[in-house]
Amino acid sequence: MRSVRFALCIGLLLLAGRLFAQGGATGTILGTVSDTSGATVPNAKVTVTNTGTNVAFRTLTTSAGDFYAPSLNPGPYKVTVEAPGFEKSVTNTVTLTVDQKVRIDVALKPGAVSETMEVTAQAVTLDTDSAALSQLVSQQQVEELPLNGRNFMQLLLIGAGAVTVGGEQGTMRQGEGNAISVNGGRPEGNNYTLDGLVNTDPALVTPAVVLSQDAIGEFKVESGTYPAEYGFSASQINIVSKGGGNKLHGAIFEDNRNNAYDALPFPTILDYNSGTKTSIPILRQNQFGFVASGPVYIPKVYDGRNKSFFMANYEGWRINNGSIAKENVPNPAVLTGDFSAETYAAGIGGLPGGPLPAYGTADCGVLLDNGYNCMPVDPTTGNPFPGNKVPSSAFTSRIGMVAVNHKYWAAPTVPNQPEGTTNFIKGIPGTLVTNQQTYRGDQNVGKFGSVFGRYTKSNYVNHSLYNSGSLDYGIEMY
């Protein structure tokens, strides 16, 4: 019974591996085997070996001399061809990238099988087996190019036809990349896949999971007439996670930014209260984590070299990316109905400044035309309130009383300023906390092929005040 269960589990894993291999996560090596006269060689033994893991795919050429090795993980390969009466041919340095079809045509020379003819594969400048317009971003580029925020989305811009356009995609998810148009398409026309599965946030059409820079193997941008396996969208951004190999690799990282290193804003504005220079907006950014990959090896228990591999990655973000709020808020006395100390600044509409003029006067009309307020009057008599103080009995708006009693306005940081003058200057924090972990395992199951699984968990908490017309309101949100 146990063996039946084991066989069933293996069958399910193989089925899952074949299903998940679709959608651009893997590549293909294909070609034709012929002799020196050009005649095809059927039933030749072809072995395609990943030189990083020593995992091999074996097949035979067809009656037409063709071979096809599908669902291969991106990486370095060598292709070995053997046939009776011919020298063995070994083609080295075959680099397979994500969703690529590499053609390796082999011409066998007559001779003993014990003899070997070695061939170095040449880089193909034109992909004759696909009609898609594509741009590859290699693992070396992902690892070595400097990225602000370590976000792979910036690497899309190194390809022809990709530009950043205006939109709220990037600002709605701080640190997740901006709206990007590929070959003139709308940013909403991009489809993101991760290891062959859809990874598109349906609300904002951005990557649902922005994989850590250290966990990405490589990715490719495709547009035009791409394969039908994708099914929709104008452009495809195909990302594959990094897998392990026979060599152990690891790294730790820490990126730090701080407003202590920043220059003052230009032009410099004096603080109304102290006369000092404008403070620099808050910026505290820390990104840290690690990545480790290699064979699964437990001394005296299990040696997974050439068959079992792992990759583990963690990345944490701690960002406080604030701004300086400069607003006009009501003076506390005004919220109680006391307008006796309210003034307006000189120069508005040519007026000299001073106490607010009463509503209905000529000076009041000038202030209203310029967007400023006047001294309130009793609507029942048209006369000013005694002492320019509105009695509490005149407060009849329930909504207004709720706003006053619950302190929906922050107190001025620069008190007793004239009407229309900034009286609230404060640094507003915008905190972002992200924790992301990714684990991947690859297993070679011999003649049945290979399978892999990846687990990614990410949480994202953003406290920045996006698109707020008045940053001083709702101060309990800070």
Side-chain angles (χ1 to χ4, degrees), residues 230-307:
Y230 298 110
F232 62 95
S233 294
S235 300
Q236 309 293 330
I237 294 89
N238 311 314
I239 310 159
V240 291
S241 58
K242 183 186 298 182
N246 277 328
K247 294 182 179 180
L248 185 64
H249 296 275
I252 59 175
F253 61 88
E254 158 72 20
D255 288 349
N256 177 270
R257 294 182 62 190
N258 194 296
N259 59 269
Y261 315 137
D262 293 344
L264 287 173
F266 181 84
T268 300
I269 302 174
L270 295 182
D271 184 284
Y272 287 99
N273 187 32
S274 63
T276 59
K277 294 181 178 180
T278 304
S279 57
I280 301 174
I282 299 170
L283 175 60
R284 307 284 193 278
Q285 178 171 314
N286 290 83
Q287 289 176 265
F288 51 91
F290 72 90
V291 62
S293 63
V296 178
Y297 180 76
I298 305 175
K300 300 181 180 180
V301 177
Y302 181 74
D303 186 353
R305 286 173 291 192
N306 300 330
K307 51 188 174 183

Side-chain angles (χ1 to χ4, degrees), residues 78-143:
K78 69 176 180 179
V79 179
T80 304
V81 180
E82 301 175 79
F86 295 94
E87 295 180 1
K88 180 171 67 174
S89 172
V90 179
T91 305
N92 295 301
T93 63
V94 179
T95 301
L96 182 65
T97 62
V98 56
D99 196 29
Q100 183 187 27
K101 292 182 178 179
V102 175
R103 174 168 290 276
I104 302 296
D105 292 329
V106 177
L108 297 179
K109 293 182 178 180
V113 179
S114 59
E115 297 179 286
T116 301
M117 176 181 64
E118 293 192 4
V119 180
T120 300
Q122 301 294 322
V124 179
T125 57
L126 179 65
D127 188 352
T128 59
D129 292 279
S130 174
L133 301 175
S134 63
Q135 172 71 41
L136 173 72
V137 180
S138 67
Q139 182 172 332
Q140 182 179 9
Q141 290 174 302
V142 172
E143 291 178 347

Side-chain angles (χ1 to χ4, degrees), residues 11 79 110 135 165 194 243 291 328 351 361 367 372 380 389 393 437:
V79 179
Q135 172 71 41
V165 298
L194 178 56
V291 62
N328 300 322
L351 298 178
T361 63
L367 289 181
Y372 296 95
T380 61
K389 296 180 180 180
S393 59
Q437 49 188 315

Side-chain angles (χ1 to χ4, degrees), residues 11-33:
L12 290 175
L13 285 172
L14 290 175
L15 177 60
R18 290 185 178 274
L19 289 175
F20 294 162
Q22 304 303 312
T26 58
T28 300
I29 295 178
L30 70 163
T32 302
V33 178

Side-chain angles (χ1 to χ4, degrees), residues 152-153 173 176 192 199-201 205-210 239:
F152 81 92
M153 290 283 287
R173 295 182 65 195
E176 300 304 292
Y192 300 88
N199 182 41
T200 304
D201 181 343
V205 199
T206 56
V209 174
V210 179
I239 310 159

Side-chain angles (χ1 to χ4, degrees), residues 317-337:
W317 281 39
R318 304 294 184 268
I319 301 177
N320 189 349
N321 189 10
S323 59
I324 302 297
K326 299 180 178 67
E327 295 285 340
N328 300 322
V329 297
N331 290 318
V334 168
L335 297 178
T336 66

